[in-house]
């Protein structure tokens, strides 16, 4: 499920990139060749591209949140990998602190050298 959502997210990102690149920087969209001509509805193309960009942006946000939620709950392909990694981490001995003793025991008390 997570893999499907990631592939869908990549497709939506590529589509958003294309929508942004098609738009004219001055807001004209595909309206090339005449500035103010409304022949064949060219003026509306900018509106469609702008609305499409917002829809794709919203889709990216929703897909990203869905992937994060599914991955954190452990309901995807990544849950199998995480459990194997966690098992290895549980089997690995913990390293001793720097400058500490090697067997993780409490330090010995110094002998009492005072005379009574």
């Amino acid at each position: 499920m997570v893999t499907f959502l990631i592939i869908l997210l990549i497709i939506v990102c590529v589509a958003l990139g294309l929508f942004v690149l098609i738009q004219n920087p001055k807001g004209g969209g595909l309206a090339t060749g005449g500035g103010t001509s409304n022949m064949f509805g060219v003026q509306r193309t900018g509106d469609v591209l702008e609305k499409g960009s917002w829809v794709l942006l919203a889709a990216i946000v929703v897909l990203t949140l869905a992937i994060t939620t599914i991955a954190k709950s452990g309901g995807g392909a990544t849950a199998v990998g995480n459990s194997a990694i966690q098992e290895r981490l549980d089997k690995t001995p913990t390293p001793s602190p720097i400058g500490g003793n090697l067997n993780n025991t409490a330090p010995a008390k110094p002998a009492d050298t005072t005379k009574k």
Side-chain angles (χ1 to χ4, degrees):
M1 181 69 177
V2 174
T3 307
F4 171 73
L5 289 176
I6 291 173
I7 292 171
L8 188 62
L9 179 66
I10 291 171
I11 292 170
V12 170
C13 287
V14 170
L16 179 63
L18 292 175
F19 268 60
V20 170
L21 289 175
I22 288 173
Q23 292 179 11
N24 190 1
K26 297 178 182 175
L30 292 174
T32 57
T36 59
S37 71
N38 280 336
M39 186 180 298
F40 303 113
V42 175
Q43 188 65 29
R44 296 268 184 206
T45 307
D47 296 337
V48 171
L49 290 174
E50 183 179 351
K51 288 178 183 177
S53 298
W54 283 107
V55 168
L56 290 173
L57 178 66
I60 288 173
V61 171
V62 169
L63 286 172
T64 305
L65 291 175
I67 291 170
T68 304
T69 304
I70 292 172
K72 281 195 174 191
S73 68
T78 58
V80 174
N82 287 341
S83 64
I85 292 172
Q86 189 62 41
E87 287 177 15
R88 282 192 181 177
L89 287 174
D90 292 340
K91 291 178 184 177
T92 306
T94 56
S96 63
I98 298 176
N101 52 5
L102 295 176
N103 56 3
N104 289 334
T105 59
K109 293 183 181 180
D112 190 14
T113 58
T114 61
K115 293 184 181 181
K116 293 185 183 180

